[in-house]
């Protein structure tokens, strides 16, 4: 039995962009296996929720939202873990989504999650402000304000 055309469009989109979704999930959980689980669960959720045909330009922010929400759900369920200095060094050595700049990486981790999400989606995933608003279920002006505030905090952190 063949898939409906719109569902096949979703499958093709996910397969074409799977690295982006993995990188997005990894930016939240900082663990390969957890990121893969999040992407897998997001695909499952998307396939279940994909009832009506979507326009191609609607799929990207819709699926990003599923990945972000799945990652946030995962983080909420996790118990805080105290890492030793050695474990932190190992984590940075194996950091898969290397931002090329360790200072930037550290500064990003200091940002509150709602600011960090906007920075990651805007500058590392290259989403438009309007798409970020859809993904995070926020008003466009709220996204702009948080983006401005996050950039200001990053600048202050990087200058320190």
């Amino acid at each position: 039995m063949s898939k409906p055309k719109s569902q096949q469009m979703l499958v093709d989109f996910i397969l074409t962009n799977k690295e982006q979704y993995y990188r997005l999930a990894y930016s939240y959980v900082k663990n390969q296996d957890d990121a893969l689980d999040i992407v897998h669960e997001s695909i499952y959720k998307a396939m279940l929720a994909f009832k009506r045909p979507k326009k191609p330009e609607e799929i990207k922010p819709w699926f990003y939202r599923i990945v972000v929400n799945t990652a946030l759900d995962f983080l909420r369920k996790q118990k805080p873990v105290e890492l030793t200095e050695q474990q932190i060094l190992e984590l940075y050595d194996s950091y898969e989504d290397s931002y090329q700049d360790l200072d930037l990486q550290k500064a990003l981790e200091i940002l509150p999650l709602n600011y960090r999400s906007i920075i990651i989606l805007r500058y590392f995933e290259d989403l438009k402000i309007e798409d970020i608003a859809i993904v995070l279920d926020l008003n466009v002006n709220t996204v702009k304000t948080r983006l401005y505030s996050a950039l200001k905090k990053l600048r202050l952190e990087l200058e320190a």
Side-chain angles (χ1 to χ4, degrees):
M1 184 171 139
S2 67
K3 294 180 179 118
K5 184 179 177 185
S6 61
Q7 193 172 22
Q8 185 60 47
M9 184 174 55
L10 173 65
V11 170
D12 292 343
F13 183 81
I14 291 171
L15 289 174
T16 302
N17 299 290
K18 63 185 181 267
E19 292 85 10
Q20 289 177 331
Y21 297 120
Y22 170 78
R23 189 175 62 237
L24 177 62
Y26 189 89
S27 72
Y28 280 89
V29 296
K30 310 285 190 281
N31 178 289
Q32 293 177 356
D33 295 332
D34 293 341
L36 287 171
D37 287 345
I38 288 168
V39 171
H40 182 264
E41 187 175 340
S42 298
I43 292 169
Y44 177 74
K45 288 177 180 179
M47 296 304 281
L48 288 178
F50 200 77
K51 304 248 187 283
R52 65 176 180 85
K54 295 193 182 306
K55 297 175 189 166
E57 63 273 8
E58 292 176 344
I59 292 177
K60 184 176 182 177
W62 176 76
F63 192 70
Y64 264 93
R65 183 174 186 177
I66 292 172
V67 174
V68 167
N69 287 338
T70 304
L72 292 174
D73 289 344
F74 176 85
L75 290 173
R76 276 188 218 104
K77 293 176 187 174
Q78 295 300 313
K79 294 179 183 174
V81 176
E82 286 295 319
L83 295 176
T84 65
E85 195 170 321
Q86 181 62 35
Q87 289 172 317
I88 292 171
L89 289 174
E90 289 171 7
L91 178 65
Y92 282 117
D93 288 342
S94 68
Y95 194 73
E96 208 170 89
D97 191 15
S98 63
Y99 295 128
Q100 303 299 320
D101 187 342
L102 194 56
D103 291 336
L104 176 58
Q105 182 180 332
K106 287 179 182 178
L108 278 171
E109 290 174 8
I110 291 171
L111 285 178
L113 192 56
N114 58 348
Y115 288 178
R116 186 177 349 141
S117 294
I118 291 172
I119 293 290
I120 289 169
L121 292 171
R122 178 69 185 108
Y123 296 106
F124 295 98
E125 299 303 324
D126 202 28
L127 289 182
K128 297 180 206 159
I129 300 286
E130 294 79 14
D131 289 341
I132 296 170
I134 292 168
V135 168
L136 298 177
D137 195 24
L138 296 170
N139 180 295
V140 171
N141 289 330
T142 302
V143 171
K144 289 178 182 177
T145 301
R146 288 184 183 173
L147 178 61
Y148 174 77
S149 296
L151 289 172
K152 187 175 178 181
K153 287 177 186 266
L154 275 177
R155 191 175 313 118
L156 289 172
E157 186 64 35
L158 291 171
E159 289 174 354

